Amino acid sequence: MEFFYWMVFGGLAAVVAALELSKTSRDRNNTSSAFSSFKNNYLLVYSLMMAGDWLQGPYVYYLYSQYGFGKGDIGHLFIAGFGSSMLFGTIVGSLADKQGRKRAAITYCITYILSCATKHSPEYKILMVGRVLGGIATSLLFSAFESWLVAEHFKRGFDQQCLSVTFSQAIFLGNGLVAIVAGLFGNVLVDTLALGPVAPFDAAACFLAIGMAVIMSSWTENYGDPSENKDLLTQFKGAAAAIASDEKITLLGAIQSLFEGSMYTFVFLWTPALSPNGEDIPHGFIFATFMLASMLGSSIASRLMAHSSLKVESYMQIVFVISAFALFLPVITSFLVVPSGEKGGGISFSGCIQLIGFCTFEACVGIFWPSIMKMRSQYIPEEARSTIMNFFRIPLNIFVCIVLYNVDAYPIVFMFGMCSVFLFVASLLQKRLRFIAENQRSRSQEWTAMKETDTEAEPLNI
């Protein structure tokens, strides 16, 4: 079965290479040197930040188990991380809008470095503090950097279409290439050099420190609404009012929560799904394959978003339907493929089918990230961007905490079926968002045309 893994990996690599090499000048969206310099600076910082995050992911559970903690204790630690992100996310998001996004980015680096430092202690309470710090850092990672980028992009007078270029390349590098390299680098530190499971966390802290130095030396500060001296409660009320008063923002938040909730559930479930009888599967290689599939998705997204005539709202509905089908494959194979009762061995036939489906889902993830970023840049008001983005993460974190708490209570196929339903609902909400957006654009164009007609019809006063 090793040939099957290499066939999938090689096929994805070939398609990604072909897509990147075949891009036309229109697909590449040729831009000015000023924008290229700005974009490359952000991509460098974002890649360093994601390297600090990706280095930790594969070894968190392993490190806790090496300290002698069981599945229940480890589950509580993970819940603490997501719960921290839920409780403190809106606070740090509001502080980012009020105190500055650059400061928030630096705070992310410091908080995550401290979280890495706690991994040196086998004390449960200290590890719990580390998970809380990690949850706060995650909230900043998924709000402060994007908020800084959008505000700075328009402050410097760059075109809206150029923002799509930065988004797609950030996901291609940060969530694709960097993830693969980080996984391989972590493997070298732990296995080849035998430095122990804490080594990736130390390496992550180094990357975060380098990124913080780049931020401090090259970024300028920007704010959500510096003209008004609002307290946090006022900011919360303003963000909640913006969500409640604009159906597009409400739909966007629901779509994001449904997709990301399904994505994080998939992260917990793919290993037992591919090895239900303890099959020997190459976890690191499969993870790298998933990241390559995500790179494929971001490469496709860059082509789609390079064409201004093609709206994000249109193709994302199709992406959600495909992702729903991809995560429904474990349910289908459980009925159509006779399960093997043998323990151990290589991946089963149903596992091979599911692996292809999971790679398809990861490709959809690669399309989702830059596309949702572009929609957020269009619909979320600048003065409360970080606050609203972290409001979106509240239902997501509640959902993930519930799944973690009940992960052993339901069969895996039930969990995948639930995710598939959520993704299908996301496609319906996306259809509604597209309908509203197109109606508003149509009315805006009609209003502009009427004004131009009225201006031309005005008689000249002689």
Side-chain angles (χ1 to χ4, degrees), residues 433-450:
L433 178 61
R434 175 189 175 186
F435 174 78
I436 295 172
E438 288 181 347
N439 271 359
Q440 289 187 353
R441 275 195 291 265
S442 177
R443 285 198 297 267
S444 177
Q445 290 170 357
E446 288 176 2
W447 175 254
T448 303
M450 287 175 61

Side-chain angles (χ1 to χ4, degrees), residues 40-52:
N40 292 337
N41 174 268
Y42 179 79
L43 292 178
L44 172 62
V45 170
Y46 186 78
S47 296
L48 288 169
M49 299 301 102
M50 293 308 298

Side-chain angles (χ1 to χ4, degrees), residues 34-113:
F35 171 74
S36 296
S37 177
F38 168 73
K39 177 195 68 176
N40 292 337
N41 174 268
Y42 179 79
L43 292 178
L44 172 62
V45 170
Y46 186 78
S47 296
L48 288 169
M49 299 301 102
M50 293 308 298
D53 189 52
W54 285 117
L55 273 167
Q56 301 179 57
Y59 295 98
V60 175
Y61 192 102
Y62 176 64
L63 176 67
Y64 294 154
S65 64
Q66 289 295 296
Y67 283 150
F69 298 111
K71 187 177 181 180
D73 289 333
I74 295 174
H76 292 153
L77 287 168
F78 274 88
I79 290 174
F82 286 104
S84 167
S85 181
M86 177 182 65
L87 292 174
F88 300 111
T90 49
I91 297 175
V92 298
S94 297
L95 288 174
D97 287 329
K98 184 179 177 64
Q99 303 297 330
R101 280 73 177 266
K102 176 182 176 180
R103 288 192 183 95
I106 294 172
T107 303
Y108 161 80
C109 297
I110 295 172
T111 306
Y112 225 0
I113 289 172

